[in-house]
């Protein structure tokens, strides 16, 4: 394979766009012609990662990043995506497409662009099951004010031209026992009903796949890297409806877990209904309600389901009570996450010891390193899968923030370039996500300088002490301040929530300048700390560890508020040869030395126990204290 790496081939989309524009002109599926079609990322559950059958935007454009929205008119095709994907999108899309770079001042919003290019009194179509209610509302209002109309299409128009569209998956379910979950699904239902009563609601509609998996203590494998399954749920004060492919319910272990054949109390009796029937069932529930009752639904759920609930009966919040409960890890979940991160560190110590030996020989590629990381992880107890595609990137490829090596782009690792590895795994007891940036030769002074600024930000956030009730977006600049001091920055958020053997990106907490809708940080939440710096065409640096929010004692206690800080769950050495020690304060050196001491003690003991002695030698060498 070409050690230099080649750019990704763009998908030829001329014929597809021609077919789509024909369908938009009016068929039995479109009541009347539409002048524009919005094709977002996502599925019926507004998932970030989606099954192959839902990858409509990728099918249409060739761009396969996890975030992006395509809009097609009779004359134009445009794609909006964020800073993580600017380079990737420009390489994967052909000349039919215009890349709209979100976050740049010169980039028009989707609404402004539509208003600019559409003829008067146009109709803009979208699939109401895929577009979230909050997005629909904003877009609809903007269209209306400019004399256009946002209309729901009866059938997804991309599906009509997608001849070999894959089927929706239906894979076996995995039952999670109390040793992992710390709480039975029945107790979780009781907890949610208490929240419903507080809000004077009779029904709770759950559409997010990770919320359903968490609530019922089940996991699946229907979306790659995300242990979830396709289902909806509607919880009443005395009833439970689960909308799912009924094939799942043929498994006796699942039937027993959900007590489907037991003489259980009526309020815990689960009514299993077809996946496709959620809309009609919700409409029936609403038609039998009194004016005083309410249905609770997230504004991030689909427009179709939110609209099925009459406005006077609807309680809409950004996050469901399940989303918030799920983010607060209990003792069993925290124990599992600690264990998962120890196993993950063992695998990475093995990988980096192996790379250090093999890279100088000049025949290890990005894909080789990625495969080897998966191999070492798979040897660990309770390994299930990776938690996202591995970002194995060297030299200029590392500047592509969410780069994925392919045979076309695969570059050989060398002793002359920075190597960035962002990877993670799903274990039965927890989910991991870690990034380390290293050099197998001698880094330049400039590379060390940039790395050290990123590290200082990582330490500043990781050691921050803040009052309970602080929202994560307020901490984002802690990780950027040193970079800002030197005129540098990065175009992604600094931290995301992480699920417990669930989605690697989990709400409602985050550490990002991009959102102010995050929930306050609380003890038991788990987030990433991942500042970076990227030079297009040259190198990329990111340092990411997963952290647990924990209480901390402070000298004073203003307004009797509890103070919080972070404890690192990720215990993988940070390469000291990449650090310009002179740029560190005493406090920062102490932090690094204490972190490496913990790595040596905790991971060293596990490597010894597992008999992985080469990796142990590597760990001891890499985690030596740095001198004053």
């Amino acid at each position: 394979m070409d050690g230099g790496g080649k750019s990704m081939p763009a998908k030829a989309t001329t014929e597809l766009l021609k077919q789509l524009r024909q369908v938009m002109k009016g068929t039995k599926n479109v009541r009347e012609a539409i002048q524009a079609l919005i094709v977002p990322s996502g599925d019926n559950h507004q998932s970030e990662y989606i099954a192959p059958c839902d990858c409509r935007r990728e099918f249409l454009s060739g761009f396969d990043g996890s975030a992006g929205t395509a809009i097609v008119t009779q004359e134009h095709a445009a794609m909006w995506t964020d800073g993580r994907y600017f380079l990737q999108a420009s390489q994967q899309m052909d000349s039919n497409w215009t890349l709209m770079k979100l976050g740049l001042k010169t980039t028009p919003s989707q609404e402004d662009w539509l208003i600019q290019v559409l003829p008067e009194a146009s109709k803009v179509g979208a699939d109401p099951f895929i577009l979230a209610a909050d997005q629909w509302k904003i877009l609809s209002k903007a269209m209306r004010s400019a004399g256009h109309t946002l209309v729901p299409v009866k059938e997804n128009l991309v599906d009509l031209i997608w001849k070999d569209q894959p089927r929706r998956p239906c894979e076996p379910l995995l039952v999670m026992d109390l040793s992992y979950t710390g709480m039975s699904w029945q107790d979780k239902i009781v907890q949610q009903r208490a929240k419903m009563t507080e809000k004077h609601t009779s029904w709770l509609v759950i559409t997010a796949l990770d919320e359903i998996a968490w609530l019922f203590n089940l996991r699946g494998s229907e979306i790659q890297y995300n242990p979830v399954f396709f289902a909806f749920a509607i919880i009443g004060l005395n009833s439970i409806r689960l909308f799912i492919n009924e094939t799942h319910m043929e498994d006796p272990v699942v039937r027993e877990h959900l007590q489907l054949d037991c003489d259980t109390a009526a309020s815990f009796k689960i009514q299993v209904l077809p996946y496709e029937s959620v809309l009609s069932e919700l409409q029936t529930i609403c038609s039998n309600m009194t004016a005083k009752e309410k249905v609770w639904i997230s504004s991030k759920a689909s427009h179709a389901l939110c609209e099925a609930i009459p406005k006077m009966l609807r309680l809409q919040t950004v996050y469901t009570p399940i989303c918030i409960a799920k983010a607060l890890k209990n003792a069993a979940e925290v124990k599992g996450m600690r264990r998962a991160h120890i196993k993950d560190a063992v695998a990475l110590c093995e990988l980096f010891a192996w790379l250090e030996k093999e890279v100088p020989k000049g025949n290890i590629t990005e894909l080789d390193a990625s495969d080897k990381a998966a191999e070492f992880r798979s040897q660990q107890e309770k390994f299930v899968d990776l938690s996202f595609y591995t970002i194995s990137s060297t030299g200029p490829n590392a500047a592509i923030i969410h780069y994925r090596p392919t045979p076309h782009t695969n570059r050989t690792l060398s002793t002359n370039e920075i190597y960035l590895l962002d990877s993670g795994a799903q274990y039965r007891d927890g989910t991991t996500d870690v990034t380390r940036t290293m050099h197998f030769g001698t880094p330049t002074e400039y590379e060390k300088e940039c790395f050290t600024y990123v590290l200082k930000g990582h330490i500043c956030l990781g050691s921050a002490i803040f009052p309970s009730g602080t929202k994560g977006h307020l901490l984002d600049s802690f990780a950027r301040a040193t970079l800002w001091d030197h005129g540098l920055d990065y175009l992604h958020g600094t931290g995301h929530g992480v699920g417990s053997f669930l989605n690697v990106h989990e709400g409602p907490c985050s550490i990002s300048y991009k959102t102010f809708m995050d929930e306050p940080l609380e003890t038991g939440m788990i987030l990433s700390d991942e500042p970076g710096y990227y030079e297009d065409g040259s190198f990329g640096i990111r340092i990411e560890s997963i952290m647990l929010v924990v209480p901390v004692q402070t000298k004073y206690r203003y307004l009797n508020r509890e103070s919080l800080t972070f404890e690192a769950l990720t215990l993988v050495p940070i390469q000291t040869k990449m650090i310009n020690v002179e740029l560190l304060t005493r406090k920062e050196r102490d932090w690094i030395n204490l972190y490496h001491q913990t790595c040596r003690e905790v991971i060293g003991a596990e490597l010894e126990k597992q008999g992985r002695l080469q990796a142990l030698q590597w760990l001891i060498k890499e985690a030596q204290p740095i001198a004053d």
Side-chain angles (χ1 to χ4, degrees), residues 327 329 333-334 336-342 344-345 348 377 387-388 422-425 427 430-436 458 461-463 494-501 503-506 509 511 524-531 542-550 565-572 574 591 595 599:
K329 311 297 187 278
E333 290 169 323
V334 169
M337 288 291 268
R338 284 188 201 284
R339 183 75 204 131
H341 281 82
I342 290 169
D344 213 53
L348 286 175
R377 281 187 164 107
S387 55
F388 55 98
D422 185 346
S423 61
Y427 302 93
T431 301
T432 68
D433 178 3
V434 51
T435 308
R436 290 294 179 265
H458 179 83
L461 176 59
S463 55
T494 303
H496 56 83
V498 180
S500 177
F501 183 31
N503 295 358
V504 74
H505 291 165
E506 176 181 271
C509 53
I511 299 170
M525 287 181 169
I526 292 178
L527 301 101
S528 68
D529 170 4
E530 50 179 311
R542 185 161 62 253
I543 304 169
E544 174 186 22
S545 293
I546 302 304
M547 318 177 293
L548 171 69
V549 180
V550 292
T565 191
F566 298 112
E567 177 197 327
L569 296 180
T570 303
L571 295 172
V572 178
I574 293 164
W591 185 96
Y595 179 75
C599 292

Side-chain angles (χ1 to χ4, degrees), residues 154-166:
K154 274 197 299 183
E155 194 178 341
N156 192 292
L157 302 192
V158 177
D159 293 356
L160 297 179
I161 63 165
W162 193 351
K163 299 291 180 269
D164 53 354
Q165 186 176 16

Side-chain angles (χ1 to χ4, degrees), residues 152-408:
V153 293
K154 274 197 299 183
E155 194 178 341
N156 192 292
L157 302 192
V158 177
D159 293 356
L160 297 179
I161 63 165
W162 193 351
K163 299 291 180 269
D164 53 354
Q165 186 176 16
R167 292 167 69 90
R168 187 161 300 286
C170 181
E171 301 294 331
L173 300 183
L174 188 61
V175 167
M176 299 290 286
D177 66 45
L178 273 175
S179 66
Y180 297 117
T181 66
M183 194 176 190
S184 71
W185 67 261
Q186 291 92 337
D187 285 343
K188 289 179 178 180
I189 294 277
V190 169
Q191 180 192 54
Q192 294 308 307
R193 283 177 174 153
K195 294 284 181 193
M196 289 161 66
T197 304
E198 270 176 39
K199 294 276 192 184
H200 310 291
T201 58
S202 313
W203 303 93
L204 173 62
V205 180
I206 311 155
T207 64
L209 299 182
D210 60 334
E211 294 182 23
I212 291 165
W214 179 86
L215 181 64
F216 291 105
N217 290 340
L218 290 167
R219 299 292 186 269
S221 57
E222 293 180 2
I223 293 181
Q224 193 178 17
Y225 310 130
N226 297 263
V228 296
F229 51 92
F230 285 100
F232 294 98
I234 301 178
I235 309 300
L237 293 173
N238 297 297
S239 65
I240 305 167
R241 289 168 173 80
L242 180 61
F243 302 86
I244 191 169
N245 186 323
E246 281 155 313
T247 310
H248 284 307
M249 298 301 125
E250 291 166 9
D251 182 344
V253 179
V254 173
R255 293 190 75 81
E256 186 185 345
H257 171 70
L258 296 176
Q259 301 198 319
L260 297 180
D261 305 312
C262 305
D263 210 11
T264 184
S267 59
F268 294 113
K269 191 82 181 158
I270 296 174
Q271 189 183 352
V272 178
L273 296 157
Y275 174 77
E276 297 75 16
S277 68
V278 63
L279 181 62
S280 57
E281 193 69 20
L282 182 56
Q283 286 166 335
T284 304
I285 286 170
C286 292
S287 67
N288 293 319
M289 284 170 64
T290 66
K292 285 186 177 177
E293 290 182 283
K294 286 259 191 286
V295 180
W296 194 348
I297 192 166
S298 166
S299 55
K300 293 181 179 295
S302 73
H303 171 71
L305 289 180
C306 288
E307 274 302 294
I309 307 162
K311 207 165 186 178
M312 59 180 285
L313 302 179
R314 195 190 310 155
L315 170 68
Q316 222 165 341
T317 56
V318 177
Y319 302 110
T320 68
I322 296 177
C323 182
I324 293 162
K326 174 169 57 64
L328 299 170
K329 311 297 187 278
N330 61 37
E333 290 169 323
V334 169
K335 185 181 173 189
M337 288 291 268
R338 284 188 201 284
R339 183 75 204 131
H341 281 82
I342 290 169
K343 292 182 288 193
D344 213 53
V346 165
L348 286 175
C349 287
E350 284 207 282
L351 174 74
F352 293 138
W354 179 81
L355 285 174
E356 200 168 78
K357 199 166 89 247
E358 297 298 325
V359 167
K361 297 176 188 174
N363 52 13
I364 300 297
T365 67
E366 292 166 334
L367 284 171
D368 294 333
S370 174
D371 292 345
K372 202 71 178 172
E375 182 190 317
F376 284 133
R377 281 187 164 107
S378 69
Q379 294 167 11
Q380 291 300 312
E381 194 184 21
K382 297 177 184 170
F383 171 84
V384 177
D385 195 359
L386 302 182
S387 55
F388 55 98
Y389 64 81
T390 299
I391 301 170
S392 172
S393 54
T394 185
N397 288 345
I400 304 171
I401 295 165
H402 272 213
Y403 169 80
R404 181 191 327 204
T406 69
H408 289 279

Side-chain angles (χ1 to χ4, degrees), residues 478-550:
F478 283 41
R480 295 179 196 271
T482 304
L483 286 161
W484 285 351
D485 278 348
H486 300 90
L488 304 178
D489 200 2
Y490 51 95
L491 292 176
H492 56 77
T494 303
H496 56 83
V498 180
S500 177
F501 183 31
L502 266 175
N503 295 358
V504 74
H505 291 165
E506 176 181 271
C509 53
S510 66
I511 299 170
S512 177
Y513 65 96
K514 295 182 177 193
T515 178
F516 301 130
M517 296 305 296
D518 49 328
E519 285 289 306
L521 299 179
E522 292 182 59
T523 298
M525 287 181 169
I526 292 178
L527 301 101
S528 68
D529 170 4
E530 50 179 311
Y533 175 65
Y534 311 90
E535 284 217 358
D536 280 1
S538 189
F539 64 83
I541 294 163
R542 185 161 62 253
I543 304 169
E544 174 186 22
S545 293
I546 302 304
M547 318 177 293
L548 171 69
V549 180
V550 292

